Amino acid sequence: MSFSFTKMHCNGNDYVVLETFTQEIYDLFTLSLILSDRRCGIGADAMIEVAPCEEADAEVRVYAPDGTDTDVAGCAARCAVKLLRDQRICEKERYRLKMPAGMVEAEPVSFRRRSVSAVCELIPMIETAEKGSVEVEARERSYRLYPVERMGRHCVLFADENFADTEGIENVNLAAVASALNSLPEWKGASVQLIEPSGDGGWKLRMWIPGQGEARANAIGVAAGVMAMARRGLALPHEDVRVAVQGGEMVFHVADGTLFLTGTVQDVFDGVSRF
């Protein structure tokens, strides 16, 4: 079997992206294990399949490095839009994509200039039945977290409420915190975000994704952090909300109950694989 693919990255998170509109590809589970391997394959944080869909412009499936399907891949929608536009599979001003955890809308920022180096994802500020914060006990420690249900389950923690005695979120053992929270049945499989002010009017965020580890960037995860800020009652700026992650800075604009996330999606290289 021979097929083409594109290696992409968003804020340092890298992906092998392939489409099944014009080519047939089998055994995607095994394929994702091989392609994502950083020693014997191409190397990626996840493999993304962009497939035909009757309900939307495309269905986007995300495979973690261990081959399992995942619904925590915030950059997948932007990668899919870039691939659809660049390969002229579907050219639109706004795309509707079927993702693992629901429908997503995204659009090329530079559509008029026929460039999709940046893609804007529209993320509704959906409120669930869970309001505010909850206190949980995990492995003999108490945590105050803000639950957010948006394209996956997220546990958002603020440093000043949980780690006031720690000098900066960089010094928190995030893997241990995520393991503790994921040990609770009600939070098993949830991603964990840790936030603190950056001192320049913005925010810093670290995120742990089960099955993947600490992410350099994740659009949905950072959006969950911004939603948690609103849950906590923090006043969001009228201008942009800037959130620094390991892979760089993500910028949100809040308008009419929607988060507009603009981020750069870059091609690394195109290739052909024989499997």
Side-chain angles (χ1 to χ4, degrees), residues 1 133 140 153 186 188 226 254 262 272:
M1 178 177 66
S133 62
E140 301 182 347
R153 303 175 67 237
E186 62 269 36
K188 185 176 178 61
V226 176
V254 184
T262 300
V272 175

Side-chain angles (χ1 to χ4, degrees), residues 123 154 193 195 205 207 216-229 242-245 250-252 259 261:
I123 305 172
H154 310 273
Q193 289 92 316
I195 306 177
L205 180 144
M207 178 176 181
R216 290 181 59 80
N218 183 283
I220 296 299
V222 181
V226 176
M227 293 178 189
M229 294 177 199
R242 296 180 294 106
V243 183
V245 295
M250 289 188 166
V251 181
F252 291 83
L259 290 178
L261 167 62

Side-chain angles (χ1 to χ4, degrees), residues 74-121:
C75 296
R78 291 185 287 158
C79 288
V81 168
K82 182 165 173 57
L83 182 140
L84 289 168
R85 287 280 302 164
D86 285 357
Q87 299 192 12
R88 297 187 175 180
I89 295 171
C90 179
E91 298 187 63
K92 302 182 70 174
E93 292 193 29
R94 179 173 294 182
Y95 292 81
R96 180 174 168 82
L97 305 172
K98 183 179 180 181
M99 302 287 289
M103 291 291 184
V104 165
E105 288 190 339
E107 61 187 33
V109 173
S110 308
F111 178 83
R112 303 295 177 189
R113 297 193 297 273
R114 305 189 66 78
S115 167
V116 288
S117 60
V119 175
C120 175
E121 187 173 349

Side-chain angles (χ1 to χ4, degrees), residues 133-153:
S133 62
V134 296
E135 290 246 8
V136 300
E137 293 286 335
R139 295 180 179 168
E140 301 182 347
R141 167 152 187 172
S142 176
Y143 295 94
R144 176 177 292 276
L145 62 87
Y146 293 77
V148 176
E149 297 277 349
R150 172 62 188 166
M151 301 295 289
R153 303 175 67 237

Side-chain angles (χ1 to χ4, degrees), residues 8-44:
M8 297 182 181
H9 82 85
C10 302
N11 288 96
N13 271 9
D14 60 334
Y15 305 94
V16 174
V17 188
L18 47 87
E19 55 86 10
T20 51
F21 280 83
T22 65
Q23 53 189 357
E24 289 188 84
I25 305 176
Y26 306 101
D27 196 2
L28 289 163
F29 167 80
T30 302
L31 185 61
S32 65
L33 294 175
I34 295 171
L35 297 185
S36 297
D37 189 283
R38 295 197 180 275
R39 291 184 179 273
C40 303
I42 299 167

